[in-house]
Amino acid sequence: MVFQSPILRAPVYRPAPEPFSVGKYKSSYGPKYHYQPNVAGWTIKQLTGLGLKSGFYGGVAFFAVIFFASGIPRVKKDILQKVPVIGSYFINEIPASDNPF
């Protein structure tokens, strides 16, 4: 048996074993992940839906305010009479002597 001095022996390089990483293996049957752009966590699809719903609720609220305020003479004159299709409906043809306003 022949002994060599540890100083004369050439060092053997063995890389450390890498732990199994999910990124190294990608199954063709697994989910297809991709980057989804967002603004503060809101995706484009969510922002579109939120904008449409807000627009619908805003339109209904605007109609309700105009409907309830249609009895006010200033609203009739300044806003409702200037609407192209229905503006003539809000023109008051009652003589001033019969009108309490």
Side-chain angles (χ1 to χ4, degrees):
M1 187 158 162
V2 178
F3 290 105
Q4 278 188 330
S5 170
I7 297 173
L8 300 177
R9 197 176 335 161
V12 177
Y13 175 73
R14 291 186 187 152
E18 294 182 18
F20 180 73
S21 176
V22 177
K24 296 207 181 256
Y25 175 73
K26 186 160 179 119
S27 173
S28 60
Y29 300 107
K32 309 292 188 265
Y33 293 117
H34 56 86
Y35 175 74
Q36 189 168 12
N38 62 68
V39 177
W42 291 81
T43 63
I44 295 171
K45 185 177 180 181
Q46 290 173 331
L47 288 174
T48 304
L50 181 67
L52 287 173
K53 289 177 188 175
S54 299
F56 290 143
Y57 279 111
V60 169
F62 177 74
F63 178 77
V65 167
I66 293 297
F67 178 75
F68 288 125
S70 65
I72 301 171
R74 183 71 181 222
V75 173
K76 279 185 181 181
K77 182 180 177 190
D78 291 344
I79 299 171
L80 296 175
Q81 287 180 1
K82 296 179 182 177
V83 176
V85 177
I86 60 171
S88 62
Y89 175 77
F90 295 102
I91 296 176
N92 203 355
E93 300 289 337
I94 298 174
S97 61
D98 295 336
N99 194 356
F101 295 106

